[in-house]
Amino acid sequence: MMDKQRVLEKVAKCFALANSNGASPNEVETALRQARNLMKQYNLEAIEVAVHTVDEASVATHTRRAPQDWLHLLAQTCARAFDCQHIAYYNPLQGWSFKFLGKGISPELTAHAYSALLHQLVAARREHVAQQKRCQLKTKRRRGALFAEGWINAVSYKVAEFAGSMDSETSKAISAYLEHHHPTLKTFEIRSLEAKGHDTGSMTAGWNQGQHVRLHHGVGKTTHTALSSGGGQ
């Protein structure tokens, strides 16, 4: 007898075949019948199958402090570009981490994009903060956060222009996954900073540099997106 994990994989494959565009009516009928028979035989609930269809990829921050709002904003931006959702969680060995949830290779692509963009953003933010002279440390930190927000907003604006919305099946599957694996998860509201006086220059500088990031669909992957920098590091 197959173990539950293997049964779930088989059921998920049957439903994937039934929902594929290239499947013939006979293939769809056969796949659905096989899936339903397996679910009945092993007493599987629909929610268990939905949860199993969700893939994940994590990126560690290696910090003991909860991620700042601008890090959440970057994670959210990348997740939207690849039809994913992100959550933050604490790992005793790796510190705080971001987990990206979606279908197929989308979470891996999101994690890769997040890591690549974070490297660029951290370098640009550090350079901008170093240029802030004759101001207190808290002012430098605030301007650094404003720069990061402006940079990410420029990328977010581009994502919103062409990224398709998450399909209902993926959204339902991720919701089921969260209910199953993270029932006590708390929602997090990303708060935008208010730029006043000289601080506005930091947000503008971030926006201008963020404009160098280019987004385009990957070759042969109409549902996925590639993110790259059009400027220097």
Side-chain angles (χ1 to χ4, degrees), residues 16 48 106 135 140 143 145-146 179 200 204:
E48 292 181 275
S106 291
C135 57
K140 289 186 176 183
R143 290 180 179 177
L146 285 166
E179 289 177 13
T200 58
T204 301

Side-chain angles (χ1 to χ4, degrees), residues 1-3 6 41-42:
M1 180 178 290
M2 289 188 290
D3 59 38
R6 289 186 61 191
Q41 180 182 349
Y42 290 90

Side-chain angles (χ1 to χ4, degrees), residues 2 24 30 34 40 45 68 72 74 91 98 104-105 109 124 158 182 184 192 215 226:
M2 289 188 290
S24 66
T30 301
Q34 187 174 7
K40 183 177 181 180
E45 298 290 339
Q68 297 181 52
H72 275 280
L74 179 61
N91 183 308
F98 283 121
I105 64 171
L109 293 174
K158 295 181 180 184
H182 303 280
T184 60
S192 296
L215 291 86

